[in-house]
Amino acid sequence: MVKILLLETKQGLPESELPKDLEYSSCVAREIAPTLRSLGHEVIEIQSPSVADAINAINTHQPDVIWHAGHGQKCITTLENEDIWMTHKSSSYGECNEDRYLEYAPNRFFSMLSCLAGSELGPRLVASGATAFMGYKTSFWFVACDYEPCTCGSGLDDPDEIRAVKSPMQCDIEWLHALAEGKTVREAYEQSQAKFQSEIEYWENSTHPIAATVLQCLHSDKEAQVVFGAMDAKIGVSAPTPTPTPTGTPTPAPVTPVPISSIFECIFPRIFTGTLTPRLDRGVVFYRIRCIIDRSVSYPPNLKQ
C-alpha cells in the first residue's frame, strides 16, 4: 500500500472566463479514487487546495504519489486561483526567479497536469530527487462548455459529448491508475499512451460533429506527454537513482486540417486555419487552453472571430 495525494483544484482562471476550469480534470481524478482505494492504496483528497493546503497535506500524510492539475509554464505550476506552487529558477519566465518547494521532490512520483511544466520543471524535480515525473512539454488541450460547467459530463445528455469532456483527462489519469496496479513508470507511460491511441481511434470512427475537435486535443496531448526519472520504478518499491532523461515520445499520426465549418470554437487559442495555434496573446500569465462546446448555435457552429 502507498499513499496517493490528489490535489483537486477547481478554479484557476477568473471564474468569469471559464467557471470550474480545473474541475474538468479534478472530477476525473475523484472518479478514479475509489478504484485506487480498491487496489489497497490510501488516497488523500484535498479540494480547492491553496499552496498552504498542499504543503500541509504533504507534511501530514507523507504521500508517495502526488497528482494535481493547475495552470503552468515551463518552470512553474500553480494550484487554486493560480496560486504559484512549485518553481525552479529559470530565465525562461519572469516568475521563475527562485526554486520553490523542490525540497518536497525526493522519493516521490509526480503526475502533473499542467501546461508546459514537463519541459523544464519536470526534469528539475527529478534532478532534485523525485523518483518519477509525468507531465506535458507543451499545452494540454481539453473540451469544455461555455454555457455552464459540464465537468465530467454534468448537464449533458449526449453520450459522445460526455465522453468528449472527459476523454483527454482519462488518458492523463491512466498513468496514475497503471502505477497503482503495480506497473513500472515505463509501463504506466505506455498504458497512458495506449489509452490516448484508443480514444483517438474511437473519435476517428465517429461521425459526431465534435469529433474533429476532440481529435485535435488528443493528438496534441498524446504528443506532449513526457515521463522522466527511474523508468523501471514501481510505487511502494525502492527505486534506482533516477535520471532526468525523457522517454522517446512516439511521433503521433499527423493531424489533417479540417474545414473551419466543422470545427467547434476553440479559444485560448482559437483555431483559424485548422492547426493548433500556440497561444492567443492577451497579456495573460499562463497558458489557458480549452475547446468549447458552444450551445449558442446549432451543429456545426460558426467559428467566432
Side-chain angles (χ1 to χ4, degrees):
M1 182 192 78
V2 301
K3 296 181 180 181
I4 301 172
L5 175 61
L6 304 179
L7 297 173
E8 298 169 358
T9 48
K10 292 185 179 180
Q11 194 67 48
L13 301 173
E15 191 171 355
S16 59
E17 293 190 29
L18 182 64
K20 298 184 179 179
D21 55 333
L22 301 179
E23 173 70 2
Y24 283 87
S25 302
S26 294
C27 71
V28 172
R30 275 198 304 280
E31 284 188 343
I32 203 173
T35 299
L36 302 179
R37 293 186 178 101
S38 72
L39 292 169
H41 305 299
E42 179 181 346
V43 180
I44 303 100
E45 299 180 71
I46 307 296
Q47 296 193 11
S48 304
S50 65
V51 169
D53 294 331
I55 298 305
N56 181 62
I58 293 171
N59 288 333
T60 300
H61 300 283
Q62 294 297 314
D64 304 282
V65 186
I66 300 174
W67 176 93
H68 93 284
H71 295 292
Q73 258 284 357
K74 291 181 178 181
C75 50
I76 193 169
T77 190
T78 65
L79 292 171
E80 196 77 6
N81 297 316
E82 293 189 334
D83 195 5
I84 295 175
W85 186 22
M86 290 183 166
T87 68
H88 78 93
K89 191 172 183 180
S90 171
S91 60
S92 66
Y93 189 66
E95 291 289 341
C96 298
N97 50 18
E98 62 178 332
D99 291 341
R100 304 184 201 183
Y101 302 112
L102 299 184
E103 65 270 24
Y104 291 94
N107 305 314
R108 290 194 166 104
F109 296 73
F110 287 86
S111 182
M112 193 172 286
L113 209 175
S114 187
C115 291
L116 293 102
S119 60
E120 291 185 16
L121 183 57
R124 185 69 176 85
L125 282 167
V126 171
S128 298
T131 303
F133 169 96
M134 189 280 285
Y136 298 86
K137 63 185 178 182
T138 56
S139 303
F140 187 90
W141 285 64
F142 64 99
V143 179
C145 298
D146 67 341
Y147 53 98
E148 63 181 25
C150 60
T151 58
C152 282
S154 174
L156 299 178
D157 297 320
D158 184 332
D160 272 334
E161 288 188 354
I162 294 171
R163 185 168 185 153
V165 300
K166 297 169 69 172
S167 181
M169 286 72 165
Q170 288 178 327
C171 298
D172 168 81
I173 207 73
E174 191 63 26
W175 188 75
L176 176 59
H177 183 203
L179 287 180
E181 290 178 322
K183 306 289 178 59
T184 66
V185 169
R186 178 182 287 105
E187 290 168 340
Y189 168 77
E190 292 170 350
Q191 187 164 315
S192 182
Q193 284 278 299
K195 177 68 172 175
F196 273 114
Q197 188 58 38
S198 175
E199 286 298 296
I200 287 170
E201 291 172 4
Y202 175 85
W203 290 104
E204 283 177 340
N205 292 308
S206 172
T207 58
H208 196 284
I210 202 173
T213 293
V214 183
L215 278 169
Q216 293 205 38
C217 293
L218 290 168
H219 275 297
S220 180
D221 296 341
K222 181 175 185 284
E223 181 182 10
Q225 188 182 44
V226 291
V227 176
F228 301 87
M231 301 305 294
D232 294 324
K234 297 182 180 182
I235 58 175
V237 179
S238 297
T241 303
T243 55
T245 302
T247 58
T249 308
T251 302
V255 179
T256 303
V258 295
I260 288 296
S261 61
S262 67
I263 301 178
F264 279 62
E265 183 191 9
C266 289
I267 59 176
F268 297 109
R270 291 175 177 165
I271 294 178
F272 290 109
T273 63
T275 58
L276 304 182
T277 307
R279 185 181 183 187
L280 176 64
D281 189 357
R282 290 181 52 193
V284 294
V285 177
F286 302 106
Y287 279 70
R288 302 163 173 176
I289 298 170
R290 70 268 190 188
C291 298
I292 301 296
I293 298 174
D294 188 349
R295 284 298 195 195
S296 65
V297 292
S298 58
Y299 294 130
N302 295 319
L303 189 68
K304 297 178 181 177
Q305 300 293 329

